[in-house]
Amino acid sequence: MRTSSVTSQSSLLAILLLILTVAVAFVRQSIAPYAAELAESEFMPRWGEATIAAVIFVITGIIVGRTATKMGAFNGFCTLPISLYGIIACGILLSPYALTAAASSALSALGTMLLLRALGEFGNKNVVFFASMLFGTAAVVFAPCAMLVALLAVAILLFPLNIRQSIIAIVGWLIPIFAASYITWYAGGEFSSVARNIIDALLPNNISFAIEPFPIVALIIVCIVTILVATGLLLFRANRYSVLVRVRKAMQAEVSFMAIVAATAIATGNIVTMLPIIAIPVSIIAAFALDKMPSRPAVVLYWMLLICFVIHLFVY
């Protein structure tokens, strides 16, 4: 079997697999939630909230697939990040705050797509501004996403942005936070409450729940994904000068995105809720590894991931 049979599956098949993965994950959570999920909250999302969150997850997966395609880092047309996003975002653990996780993930994915578009549109200030606004809105929806401002700093260094574009990016990030603060103040609250919530959310928290009750099959899935990410990073490093500068910078931005979000999730203890955000760069890097590695190990790792996901639904 050729690698292309894994990485170049049709868009329809990838989207159907994404929908199936998300739907099954929500049904599983409503019937038998894992201990790590209950540690975040004993109250699982209602069907209406879960349905909206599931739709947002599907849309986010499609955005991730489109971002990966536009990057130009793959050998051909690759839709694998779409299905990988569903497995990583919902197949390992699913946050009880599903709507918050889904909304912040969608905003982060769309902001990343717009930010990477700036690589090909150096003079387009609107793209950077709207990407920054999306990151700022994600921080309002889910406070730990405020750390995505560090991704703007990475963009300023990588692209690079001039002083005017950098100021526009920072202002774009601050506008949603200022608007939320004003609305809170107008409703009778304190103007600084939004900023204080963001600061409090970024402080270190207790993460012991994420270690002991973690399902064993989920650990296997995490190990497989970690192997794919490590392989993707090694392959990217080995071939970084054989690709276009735009592709190299886009991959560097995705790696920085992954490092920022993973560090924030571990430091704040919001690992379960931030999994869908971590899944954005991880699914792209993992798909890059499957696309570049030899056929046989790519097929084996991909099917191991799918089989473990199915087993994870019944063994925990």
Side-chain angles (χ1 to χ4, degrees), residues 156-180:
I156 291 173
L157 296 174
L158 283 180
F159 289 173
L161 303 179
N162 56 38
I163 296 178
R164 185 177 182 180
Q165 290 173 321
S166 302
I167 294 174
I168 288 174
I170 295 172
V171 171
W173 184 80
L174 290 173
I175 284 176
I177 299 175
F178 179 83

Side-chain angles (χ1 to χ4, degrees), residues 88-112:
I88 299 169
C90 303
I92 300 174
L93 292 172
L94 190 57
S95 173
Y97 308 106
L99 192 55
T100 299
S104 57
S105 178
L107 290 167
S108 301
L110 192 56
T112 304

Side-chain angles (χ1 to χ4, degrees), residues 5-316:
S5 63
V6 174
T7 59
S8 299
Q9 54 185 302
S10 67
S11 300
L12 180 60
L13 179 61
I15 294 174
L16 288 177
L17 186 56
L18 171 65
I19 294 173
L20 180 63
T21 302
V22 173
V24 169
F26 273 98
V27 172
R28 189 273 311 157
Q29 186 192 57
S30 65
I31 297 174
Y34 300 134
E37 296 170 345
L38 292 172
E40 275 207 355
S41 175
E42 296 182 358
F43 301 98
M44 294 298 109
R46 297 180 179 180
W47 279 105
E49 179 184 350
T51 302
I52 296 173
V55 172
I56 296 176
F57 276 131
V58 172
I59 295 174
T60 305
I62 296 173
I63 293 173
V64 172
R66 181 174 177 80
T67 302
T69 302
K70 293 295 184 180
M71 284 173 58
F74 300 92
N75 290 328
F77 181 73
C78 181
T79 59
L80 191 57
I82 298 176
S83 54
L84 286 178
Y85 173 83
I87 295 174
I88 299 169
C90 303
I92 300 174
L93 292 172
L94 190 57
S95 173
Y97 308 106
L99 192 55
T100 299
S104 57
S105 178
L107 290 167
S108 301
L110 192 56
T112 304
M113 184 180 71
L114 291 178
L115 199 61
L116 294 182
R117 183 184 296 178
L119 285 171
E121 302 176 10
F122 295 103
N124 194 339
K125 297 181 289 296
N126 294 332
V127 174
V128 177
F129 177 75
F130 285 121
S132 303
M133 282 193 66
L134 289 169
F135 288 146
T137 306
V140 173
V141 172
F142 184 50
C145 287
M147 282 301 295
L148 291 178
V149 70
L151 190 59
L152 295 179
V154 173
I156 291 173
L157 296 174
L158 283 180
F159 289 173
L161 303 179
N162 56 38
I163 296 178
R164 185 177 182 180
Q165 290 173 321
S166 302
I167 294 174
I168 288 174
I170 295 172
V171 171
W173 184 80
L174 290 173
I175 284 176
I177 299 175
F178 179 83
S181 300
Y182 177 80
I183 293 172
T184 302
W185 171 79
Y186 187 81
E190 295 186 14
F191 186 84
S192 61
S193 61
V194 175
R196 284 206 310 269
N197 289 338
I198 291 175
I199 294 173
D200 292 341
L202 293 176
L203 296 177
N205 199 355
N206 180 24
I207 61 172
S208 59
F209 74 89
I211 300 175
E212 184 176 350
F214 209 81
I216 183 63
V217 185
L219 284 174
I220 297 175
I221 296 176
V222 170
C223 290
I224 296 174
V225 173
T226 302
I227 291 172
L228 289 175
V229 170
T231 304
L233 294 177
L234 291 174
L235 291 173
F236 168 66
R237 180 176 176 79
N239 299 280
R240 64 187 184 279
Y241 294 119
S242 62
V243 298
L244 297 175
V245 175
R246 178 178 62 85
V247 175
R248 183 166 69 248
K249 290 186 176 182
M251 284 295 295
Q252 290 173 341
E254 291 291 350
V255 173
S256 302
F257 184 16
M258 180 183 64
I260 292 168
V261 179
T264 303
I266 295 173
T268 61
N270 293 293
I271 297 176
V272 180
T273 307
M274 295 195 74
L275 265 179
I277 306 175
I278 299 173
I280 297 170
V282 167
S283 59
I284 293 176
I285 297 173
F288 178 80
L290 291 172
D291 184 62
K292 299 298 182 182
M293 69 172 54
S295 175
R296 190 176 298 276
V299 173
V300 170
L301 287 172
Y302 180 68
W303 280 104
M304 282 180 61
L305 194 61
L306 292 179
I307 293 171
C308 287
F309 168 71
V310 175
I311 296 175
H312 186 38
L313 297 173
F314 305 100
V315 180
Y316 53 92

